[in-house]
Amino acid sequence: MSVFSRMTDIVNSNLNALLDKAEDPEKMVRLIIGEMEETLVEVRSTSARAIADRKELTRRHEQLCEEAAEWERKAELAISKGRDDLARAALVEKSKADEVAESVASDLDVLDGTLAKLNGDIGALQNKIKDAKARQNAIIMRGQAAKVRLGVRRQLSDHNIDDAMIRFEQYERKMDDLEGQIESYDLGKRTLNDEIEQLEVDEAVDEELKQLKERVARDAAKDAEG
């Protein structure tokens, strides 16, 4: 899978946009970094070849300049010896060397521009790779955190909570049934403590009844005197 088609695509790319569209951002960022690093190797190789070409052209230009200077010296010598014909021929050769030297100089100018562009591309690409690697670490951490959160959410989903509550209520109901069965065995059975407590209750009621009768009798007597 190719994420980019050429160097310009990489330099002008928007990593956020690419990752937003990706089904698997972690996989996508690995592909992006891989292709960027491959492109960086290619650009550096191209730059290395261009540097080697520049050195060769520089030597060629120097040789042509020396050759033109040598033909000019020979032309001067021929003139000093009265050989204008030889001087003219030497100047023709000098002109040829100058013409080739100018062409090589032009090629050097173009090559210098290419090298400057390659250096700029290498710098921009290195920054893109650095940015992508930083995004990769962040995306991996976010992905791991998301997986943990998803696992927790699944364990604590409403469905699971409802099931747990239903089971809890079922356990409570079973305990109620057991306690009810235990209490049912005690129905109709009065212990010694129960009977004594009942006597105390009856005694209190009898005392309260006695006091009530005495109060009613006093009230009736007062009414008769009046």
Side-chain angles (χ1 to χ4, degrees):
M1 175 181 178
S2 178
V3 181
F4 307 108
S5 60
R6 57 186 181 276
M7 179 65 197
T8 304
D9 290 343
I10 297 177
V11 174
N12 296 331
S13 67
N14 185 326
L15 293 183
N16 285 333
L18 287 173
L19 296 177
D20 287 343
K21 296 177 181 178
E23 294 182 0
D24 187 347
E26 187 175 337
K27 179 180 179 181
M28 175 60 75
V29 77
R30 286 199 300 268
L31 289 173
I32 290 173
I33 292 172
E35 186 160 351
M36 284 180 173
E37 289 177 337
E38 290 177 2
T39 304
L40 180 59
V41 171
E42 294 175 1
V43 173
R44 281 177 170 166
S45 297
T46 301
S47 181
R49 289 194 297 272
I51 291 172
D53 291 343
R54 188 184 187 285
K55 289 181 178 180
E56 182 179 354
L57 286 175
T58 298
R59 288 195 300 270
R60 176 62 175 157
H61 183 261
E62 290 174 353
Q63 291 171 355
L64 289 168
C65 289
E66 290 174 358
E67 183 179 341
E70 179 64 14
W71 281 117
E72 185 174 5
R73 186 191 67 78
K74 289 179 179 180
E76 291 175 353
L77 176 62
I79 290 173
S80 66
K81 300 298 183 181
R83 296 292 305 270
D84 288 353
D85 57 330
L86 293 178
R88 185 178 289 105
L91 289 176
V92 169
E93 295 300 324
K94 175 183 179 299
S95 178
K96 292 179 181 179
D98 285 337
E99 183 178 354
V100 176
E102 289 179 4
S103 176
V104 172
S106 178
D107 291 341
L108 279 172
D109 289 340
V110 173
L111 194 53
D112 285 340
T114 300
L115 280 170
K117 179 64 168 58
L118 288 172
N119 288 335
D121 288 344
I122 289 173
L125 187 51
Q126 287 174 328
N127 289 334
K128 285 285 186 178
I129 292 174
K130 182 179 179 181
D131 183 31
K133 287 184 176 180
R135 301 286 180 86
Q136 181 183 31
N137 293 333
I139 288 172
I140 291 175
M141 292 178 64
R142 286 172 55 192
Q144 292 173 346
K147 289 177 182 178
V148 171
R149 290 172 59 194
L150 180 59
V152 172
R153 288 289 180 87
R154 284 175 175 171
Q155 291 179 357
L156 299 179
S157 64
D158 293 338
H159 177 69
N160 290 339
I161 291 176
D162 291 342
D163 289 345
M165 291 302 297
I166 290 172
R167 290 195 298 271
F168 183 76
E169 291 173 357
Q170 289 174 345
Y171 292 143
E172 283 189 324
R173 178 61 185 173
K174 287 182 179 180
M175 293 302 298
D176 290 340
D177 291 342
L178 289 173
E179 291 175 350
Q181 292 176 24
I182 293 172
E183 292 175 3
S184 69
Y185 284 109
D186 294 333
L187 291 178
K189 295 181 180 180
R190 294 176 61 82
T191 65
L192 176 61
N193 188 56
D194 292 336
E195 292 180 358
I196 292 174
E197 288 180 353
Q198 186 61 48
L199 289 175
E200 292 175 345
V201 171
D202 293 342
E203 184 179 1
V205 172
D206 291 342
E207 180 63 26
E208 185 176 359
L209 179 61
K210 178 183 177 183
Q211 293 175 0
L212 179 60
K213 286 181 177 180
E214 290 175 352
R215 187 172 65 253
V216 171
R218 288 195 299 270
D219 291 341
K222 287 180 182 181
D223 292 339
E225 290 176 357

